Amino acid sequence: KMCCCLFQIEAEVQRRKQLIHQSAERKAIISQCYKPKHPDVYILQDSFLAPEFLEIVRYCTSPDAHLDGLLHYTESFPDKRICRLPVFTEEFCQALVDELENFEQSDMPKGRPNTMNNYGVLLNELGMDETFITPLREKYLRPITALLYPDLGGACLDSHKAFVVKYSLHEDLDLSSHYDNAEVTLNVSLGKDFTEGNLYFGEFRQDPSPVPKYLEIEHVRTKGLLHRGGHIHGALPITSGERWNLIIWMRSSAIRNQLCPMCNKKPELVEAEGFGDGFTETLEDDTPKTVNLCSLW
């Protein structure tokens, strides 16, 4: 039995090593052959963003911005360090979901978001990373996360993995308890029409809690939840309709270079294309300086 387990683990390691190469191949095919229905949604514009969200960003980039001031602009759940805020407009959410459905119905090759979600789209493969997700993270989200999560590298989130997941009655209904391979996660409800399917949050993964206390939060279309990636959470089953969520796992190499958030060990790095899992090679002398900068922001 032990040999069988080791064989399965080795097979999974090899499978994961191939994922990046397979993803690059799919991205190249999609870039050449896929005809977008709404090409404008691929390039981030201020008009896609809720006016309230732009106001929050303006506040966070002002010289006197501080955490208490930011929390006045948002719905916060302080005991769990979760923040709900408007992100996109209704019109943009509708257009993006329509584009994603068009892609789903095409004969393009499709990678799936992760081992837990069977339905959805990797936005990097669709060509949205450079023109949409990276500017969203750098220009708009980082000023907010710098105030909310200074201890998790919120001021220096330098990479991400972005994907959309889909829940419907005949496909994935819910998502079991898990934590993310991220320092900070943004989860935005894009619609469509659905009932139930609330998110629930337990404890931070390192908190010793024999009886976790769960907090249930309703998902509201166009609004996003910001939370710590290491926060144990899940999604309750939807009871009707379809739910699409945009999820961005944001990573700070200054933090994860010290300790891998998945195995709690100092990472041993292998070369990867693109962002990989968000680690970077750093010189020993530079590392403490970088981490302190994030902690003191």
Side-chain angles (χ1 to χ4, degrees), residues 191-206:
K192 302 162 60 173
D193 290 320
F194 60 89
T195 51
E196 301 298 332
N198 290 351
L199 295 188
Y200 62 87
F201 290 85
E203 305 304 320
F204 196 69
R205 64 188 174 91
Q206 291 161 334

Side-chain angles (χ1 to χ4, degrees), residues 142-161:
R142 208 158 51 187
I144 300 172
T145 57
L147 291 177
L148 286 173
Y149 306 107
D151 53 326
L152 297 171
C156 46
L157 296 170
D158 51 2
S159 71
H160 61 260
K161 177 179 178 178

Side-chain angles (χ1 to χ4, degrees), residues 275-287:
F275 287 139
D277 268 348
F279 301 92
T280 56
E281 285 280 16
T282 54
L283 299 170
E284 286 299 318
D285 294 345
D286 292 344
T287 305

Side-chain angles (χ1 to χ4, degrees), residues 17 19 21 64 73-74 87 92 104-105 115 129-130 153 158 164 171 177 186-187 206 219 225 240 251 256 275 279:
K17 283 182 177 177
L19 285 178
H21 306 300
D64 56 348
Y73 285 90
T74 66
V87 179
F92 172 74
E104 282 279 86
Q105 289 155 15
T115 53
D129 248 9
E130 297 82 357
D158 51 2
V164 172
E171 298 175 342
S177 293
L186 174 68
N187 184 333
Q206 291 161 334
H219 238 328
L225 290 172
S240 72
R251 290 145 171 182
R256 60 181 42 220
F275 287 139
F279 301 92

Side-chain angles (χ1 to χ4, degrees), residues 21-38:
H21 306 300
Q22 292 165 355
S23 182
E25 289 170 7
R26 286 192 297 266
K27 184 180 178 183
I29 293 168
I30 292 164
S31 171
Q32 284 190 318
C33 306
Y34 176 62
K35 188 172 181 351
K37 185 175 179 181
H38 299 286

Side-chain angles (χ1 to χ4, degrees), residues 103-122:
F103 176 73
E104 282 279 86
Q105 289 155 15
S106 74
D107 58 0
M108 290 295 106
K110 298 169 184 77
R112 291 312 177 193
N114 52 60
T115 53
M116 298 181 76
N117 291 103
N118 299 302
Y119 300 91
V121 179
L122 286 159

Side-chain angles (χ1 to χ4, degrees), residues 52-237:
E52 302 94 327
F53 178 74
L54 293 171
E55 194 178 338
I56 291 168
V57 176
R58 272 194 296 274
Y59 172 76
C60 291
T61 51
S62 66
D64 56 348
H66 55 85
L67 178 59
D68 288 341
L70 165 59
L71 295 179
H72 280 299
Y73 285 90
T74 66
E75 298 173 77
S76 62
F77 305 86
D79 56 324
K80 298 288 188 187
R81 295 186 66 191
I82 299 168
C83 199
R84 179 160 65 189
L85 67 170
V87 179
F88 297 122
T89 64
E90 281 275 2
E91 295 74 21
F92 172 74
C93 289
Q94 288 172 11
L96 181 57
V97 169
D98 197 37
E99 177 61 38
L100 295 167
E101 287 182 324
N102 186 66
F103 176 73
E104 282 279 86
Q105 289 155 15
S106 74
D107 58 0
M108 290 295 106
K110 298 169 184 77
R112 291 312 177 193
N114 52 60
T115 53
M116 298 181 76
N117 291 103
N118 299 302
Y119 300 91
V121 179
L122 286 159
L123 295 183
N124 175 49
E125 294 184 6
L126 209 49
M128 291 187 77
D129 248 9
E130 297 82 357
T131 55
F132 192 103
I133 303 297
T134 293
L136 180 65
R137 169 174 52 81
E138 291 181 348
K139 183 179 175 184
Y140 299 91
L141 293 172
R142 208 158 51 187
I144 300 172
T145 57
L147 291 177
L148 286 173
Y149 306 107
D151 53 326
L152 297 171
C156 46
L157 296 170
D158 51 2
S159 71
H160 61 260
K161 177 179 178 178
F163 50 94
V164 172
V165 294
K166 176 189 173 190
Y167 299 90
S168 72
L169 293 183
H170 304 295
E171 298 175 342
D172 287 341
L173 274 179
D174 55 13
L175 187 60
S176 303
S177 293
H178 65 285
Y179 55 86
D180 302 335
N181 185 358
E183 274 64 70
V184 179
T185 295
L186 174 68
N187 184 333
V188 185
S189 176
L190 302 173
K192 302 162 60 173
D193 290 320
F194 60 89
T195 51
E196 301 298 332
N198 290 351
L199 295 188
Y200 62 87
F201 290 85
E203 305 304 320
F204 196 69
R205 64 188 174 91
Q206 291 161 334
D207 293 347
S209 179
V211 184
K213 296 176 186 169
Y214 284 95
L215 169 70
E216 204 174 306
I217 303 178
E218 184 185 359
H219 238 328
V220 180
R221 184 161 59 185
T222 74
K223 293 192 177 182
L225 290 172
L226 277 167
H227 64 85
R228 296 168 295 169
H231 203 143
I232 294 169
H233 60 286
L236 295 169

